[in-house]
Amino acid sequence: MTGTHTDRAARIITRCREIAACTEVPGEITRLFLTPSMQAVHALLRDWMEAAGMTVDIDAIGNLRGIRHGLTPESPRLLIGSHLDTVPNAGAFDGILGVVLGVAIIEELKSQRLPFAVEVIGFSEEEGVRFSKPFLGSLALVGKLDADTLARTDHSGISVRQAIEDYALDPSQLPAAALAYETFAYLEFHIEQGPVLENEDAPLGVVEAVVGQTRMELTFTGQANHAGTTPMHLRHDAMAAAAEWIVAVEDYASSHDTLVATVGKVEAAPGAGNVIAGRVTASLDVRHADDRVREASVLAILKHAKAAATKRGVHVTSTKQLEQPAVPLDPHLTDLLSDAAAQAGFPARRMTSGAGHDAMILAPSIPSAMLFVRSPGGLSHHPDEAVLPQDVEAALATAMEFLAQLRDDRTNPKDGHA
Ligand code: HGY
Ligand code: MN
Ligand code: MN
């Protein structure tokens, strides 16, 4: 690949925006698990990967997997990737940047021989939007897609299993989606999605750990009734109960340092302005670096829901969709990544990720590391999400340096690491 370093960064950004045009909703970026727009994304990436000499396949959960082979078919394998699905009305870089950067790394390698193969993966589902359960793509790599998960249904009653079949994939082949046994490490590039790097005017960050998260759905059940004839003291208003609770969630999290708790989705039934809401379902997302703090916070927040409901004669239930402990990333790989960033001329601060990532699913199985790229405005999960070309260039330069360090590390292992 010829051209200047700014060309290669510009090309990565252009490709992310080409992928962004593959959407279920014209005029915004919305691409959920195994929806038709993912076919167009796979076609674009397959073209770029095959042009870079990679062998490309789609596994049974819909992950796109491209391999640059090593010296032999049994060569150890470095996995680089991120996710291709989005939240509704998303930005163009969350997840996608990590996959497109992976392809750019392969292009930069040209014919350079490495003592390991490189697999670039585009996970089919990380956000958890369609089936209210995140990480379906990476869970398949570590054998954690259980029968209950395959039986989950989306809003139109289609199960995960059916969605796989509708995408012309075969659920019986899910075991074959497992990590190749020769995979020795996972590397994920991702936008920070927060304000830290921008506040410090830093292009890159090296992630040491990913905070834990609990995701739940609460249902407040009261009594629908006429908005005009029902006196206030005779109501069992599910909306008012949920509303009091949502403010209590904000108050609770605001009074506990570094805890974050969010109610991002609320649905009311029957949903008419002249009817008292009989039933309200609300999401809950609680995150903290310390699992004990997160678990205690969830219990306290559920107590607030009970109090807000009881005082109105409303009943409240909750279902857990995700209980994901905090995950430390691999110290040795993280040191190598820090060294590579410094060597490339971009000293990167170390940090914890408030966002969840596929790396937290893989890290318990294989040494994993993450590099963050600055998010201008600290904005993400929003159409104005952006990256700066010079930061993309810094990430690619760091990646090439990291591969060189990994090559040396694997050919002359220091302090027992291989
Ligand atoms: O929600 C998250 O943490 C990530 O964007 N999936
Ligand atoms: Mn996201
Ligand atoms: Mn993401």
Side-chain angles (χ1 to χ4, degrees):
M1 200 192 81
T2 55
T4 65
H5 283 180
T6 42
D7 292 351
R8 64 187 191 177
R11 187 156 104 133
I12 289 166
I13 292 170
T14 301
R15 284 179 168 179
C16 289
R17 294 212 180 278
E18 272 186 75
I19 288 176
C22 308
T23 177
E24 295 304 302
V25 182
E28 63 176 61
I29 304 169
T30 298
R31 189 173 53 252
L32 307 189
F33 176 60
L34 295 187
T35 48
S37 54
M38 195 62 86
Q39 299 278 9
V41 174
H42 286 168
L44 281 171
L45 280 163
R46 179 184 289 272
D47 284 352
W48 298 333
M49 287 178 165
E50 288 176 347
M54 300 171 83
T55 310
V56 183
D57 199 3
I58 312 263
D59 69 20
I61 194 68
N63 298 322
L64 181 75
R65 304 181 72 164
I67 298 179
R68 179 190 196 260
H69 292 290
L71 306 177
T72 73
E74 294 70 44
S75 291
R77 187 182 297 189
L78 168 66
L79 181 65
I80 298 174
S82 194
H83 60 94
L84 295 172
D85 66 312
T86 74
V87 294
N89 199 13
F93 302 98
D94 175 4
I96 288 81
L97 177 68
V99 185
V100 174
L101 253 169
V103 179
I105 290 167
I106 303 299
E107 291 170 335
E108 282 303 303
L109 283 172
K110 300 184 182 68
S111 55
Q112 190 189 104
R113 294 169 72 77
L114 287 175
F116 48 82
V118 182
E119 177 180 357
V120 176
I121 188 165
F123 291 112
S124 54
E125 155 34 81
E126 184 270 352
E127 297 289 3
V129 175
R130 183 173 175 185
F131 290 98
S132 298
K133 179 170 174 119
F135 308 121
L136 298 183
S138 43
L139 285 171
L141 267 67
V142 294
K144 288 189 181 162
L145 271 190
D146 56 23
D148 286 351
T149 301
L150 293 175
R152 291 179 80 94
T153 55
D154 64 11
H155 259 309
S156 42
I158 295 174
S159 69
V160 172
R161 177 180 296 278
Q162 186 59 52
I164 291 172
E165 290 165 350
D166 292 350
Y167 202 82
L169 297 169
D170 176 0
S172 72
Q173 294 305 307
L174 281 169
L179 273 169
Y181 74 87
E182 60 268 22
T183 309
F184 65 88
Y186 173 67
L187 176 61
E188 182 164 1
F189 298 91
H190 204 288
I191 50 174
E192 177 206 340
Q193 300 184 290
V196 171
L197 293 177
E198 177 166 72
N199 285 349
E200 298 178 7
D201 193 20
L204 305 176
V206 174
V207 181
E208 292 184 308
V210 183
V211 302
Q213 51 177 284
T214 300
R215 295 192 194 182
M216 302 185 83
E217 182 173 87
L218 277 76
T219 302
F220 295 82
T221 307
Q223 176 63 56
N225 210 329
H226 196 296
T229 58
T230 313
M232 294 309 285
H233 68 286
L234 295 181
R235 295 181 176 211
H236 305 292
D237 186 338
M239 183 75 91
E244 177 181 321
W245 171 68
I246 292 168
V247 173
V249 169
E250 182 191 42
D251 286 349
Y252 184 91
S254 305
S255 56
H256 288 74
D257 190 28
T258 70
L259 175 75
V260 286
T262 312
V263 179
K265 182 178 163 186
V266 177
E267 290 178 323
N274 60 347
V275 180
I276 301 164
R279 192 184 70 254
V280 169
T281 56
S283 65
L284 176 64
D285 180 314
V286 181
R287 306 193 192 193
H288 195 275
D290 180 333
D291 290 338
R292 290 161 306 175
V293 173
R294 173 173 52 84
E295 287 154 10
S297 301
V298 168
L299 291 177
I301 286 170
L302 291 178
K303 275 202 187 115
H304 281 294
K306 184 94 176 124
T310 306
K311 73 194 269 191
R312 294 173 173 83
V314 168
H315 180 61
V316 62
T317 57
S318 60
T319 51
K320 190 169 287 181
Q321 293 153 335
L322 177 74
E323 181 72 40
Q324 172 59 52
V327 172
L329 296 183
D330 181 76
H332 178 60
L333 274 187
T334 302
D335 287 346
L336 281 187
L337 196 52
S338 285
D339 294 349
Q343 201 68 24
F346 306 99
R349 64 109 80 204
R350 293 192 176 214
M351 58 197 294
T352 297
S353 173
H357 298 289
D358 292 300
M360 73 195 305
I361 302 302
L362 295 178
S365 302
I366 51 168
S368 299
M370 282 195 81
L371 187 73
F372 272 174
V373 176
R374 170 172 29 192
S375 287
L379 205 53
S380 181
H381 283 186
H382 186 283
D384 294 343
E385 179 183 280
V387 289
L388 300 174
Q390 62 268 31
D391 295 348
V392 171
E393 169 52 36
L396 183 53
T398 297
M400 302 319 292
E401 187 56 45
F402 177 77
L403 286 189
Q405 300 235 358
L406 206 51
R407 179 198 57 221
D408 299 347
D409 192 56
R410 293 194 64 80
T411 34
N412 331 299
K414 294 188 284 299
D415 53 31
H417 284 283

